[in-house]
Amino acid sequence: MKNLKALGLIVFALVIGLAAAVYAAGWVARQGGATTSKVVVAAVDIEPGSKINPEMLSSLDWPAGATPPGAFKDAGELQDRIAKVNILRGEPLLDGKLAPLGTKGGLSAVIAEGKRAMTVRVNDVVGVAGFALPGNYVDVMVNAQQEKSGNEEGKQISKTVLERVLVLAVAQEAGRDDTKPKVVSAVTLELTLEDSEKLDLARSVGTLSLVLRNQVDQKTVSTAGITKDELLGGKKAPAPLPAPAPVRKSRPARSAAAPSPSRAQCVDVIQHGVLAVNCF
């Protein structure tokens, strides 16, 4: 009897194991038969403004249901296209990351629609010790002399004229994958046309400085700037007090009973700002 129970347990275990093996084999077969499609990916890191050629690309099997929108299946479609942003190795090439067809290579392909690129001369101090790298955002500050106002001399003022300006390139490099500081002599900024005019005027009237800001900080702060007197704690001269209005002196009407000056001698008496006539 005991042998029968043990045999039954063994048979039951074998059946369970066989069923599990059949299920696992079916699952593996279904996974192996999942549909895939070829997706073009970057074989090397591609910097913004670079012209794409076949040596930069490779193909990778991608699950058909998870293909990224805008992906390419044929590397021939990407011949001579221009990368608009930095594309890392193994990353799918998407149409949104490329400049429009017919765009030439270089920095012009990286400039956003409606914007302009403008270069300003900097040094190790103005350029934030080389930490203003492509892809960073900076504020632009100018230190200038105000124009004369009447007899007063123009005051020296420091004021922020532009906020959250994108750095497109430092010197002749537009790559955004480097975090090491680079002390250069020129920085190229992305600006609107109106901001380009402001920056052109600012660099002609004073000294420019770049102020590095947080990448995700999008707040703008409007300031009136600061003058040398305000910096050193000087106070503005008080405004002159207005002149007092003149006091009008009123002559009281003569009484009907008062004798005429032709009959008596009269004397004008001024007392407390009031004119009175005394006759006798």
Side-chain angles (χ1 to χ4, degrees):
M1 194 69 178
K2 292 181 179 180
N3 293 336
L4 290 176
K5 288 183 178 180
L7 184 61
L9 291 175
I10 293 172
V11 172
F12 179 75
L14 290 174
V15 171
I16 295 297
L18 182 61
V22 171
Y23 177 79
W27 183 84
V28 172
R30 289 193 299 272
Q31 294 299 317
T35 58
T36 59
S37 60
K38 294 289 185 179
V39 171
V40 180
V41 299
V44 295
D45 293 343
I46 303 176
E47 295 184 355
S50 301
K51 181 179 290 187
I52 299 174
N53 55 59
E55 288 74 19
M56 298 179 176
L57 308 174
S58 63
S59 296
L60 188 67
D61 289 332
W62 207 277
T67 303
F72 294 88
K73 299 180 180 180
D74 184 8
E77 302 177 67
L78 296 166
Q79 183 67 33
D80 295 335
R81 292 291 298 271
I82 305 299
K84 190 167 60 175
V85 297
N86 192 45
I87 303 175
L88 302 179
R89 180 180 179 181
E91 186 178 352
L93 275 81
L94 307 179
D95 188 63
K97 297 181 179 180
L98 306 176
L101 285 169
T103 304
K104 302 297 181 181
L107 187 63
S108 61
V110 183
I111 303 173
E113 184 178 357
K115 296 295 185 70
R116 306 290 188 272
M118 188 171 184
T119 303
V120 293
R121 186 177 297 277
V122 297
N123 53 35
D124 56 339
V125 176
V126 177
V128 202
F131 283 100
L133 299 172
N136 293 154
Y137 287 90
V138 296
D139 296 341
V140 180
M141 187 179 299
V142 64
N143 187 294
Q145 193 82 12
Q146 291 179 319
E147 295 183 356
K148 295 182 179 180
S149 176
N151 296 329
E152 295 184 1
E153 289 290 334
K155 296 181 180 180
Q156 189 176 5
I157 186 171
S158 183
K159 180 174 173 56
T160 300
V161 292
L162 297 174
E163 293 189 66
R164 192 171 168 75
V165 179
L166 175 65
V167 178
L168 289 178
V170 292
Q172 284 78 39
E173 299 182 13
R176 306 186 183 187
D177 58 345
D178 195 359
T179 57
K180 295 181 180 179
K182 297 179 182 178
V183 178
V184 295
S185 59
V187 172
T188 303
L189 307 175
E190 184 183 71
L191 305 163
T192 63
L193 186 58
E194 293 80 4
D195 289 344
S196 300
E197 296 170 346
K198 290 181 182 179
L199 182 58
D200 185 62
L201 180 61
R203 69 181 179 181
S204 66
V205 300
T207 305
L208 296 180
S209 297
L210 302 183
V211 184
L212 189 65
R213 64 184 297 158
N214 191 291
Q215 291 282 82
V216 298
D217 183 9
Q218 299 185 4
K219 296 180 181 179
T220 58
V221 181
S222 178
T223 64
I226 185 169
T227 63
K228 184 178 179 180
D229 291 341
E230 295 170 346
L231 178 65
L232 300 178
K235 296 182 179 179
K236 296 181 179 180
L241 297 175
V247 178
R248 289 188 175 183
K249 299 177 181 180
S250 57
R251 182 186 297 270
R254 294 182 178 180
S255 174
S260 173
S262 58
R263 301 179 193 176
Q265 187 176 2
C266 298
V267 178
D268 292 340
V269 179
I270 300 176
Q271 186 176 9
H272 302 296
V274 179
L275 178 63
V277 179
N278 293 331
C279 298
F280 52 89

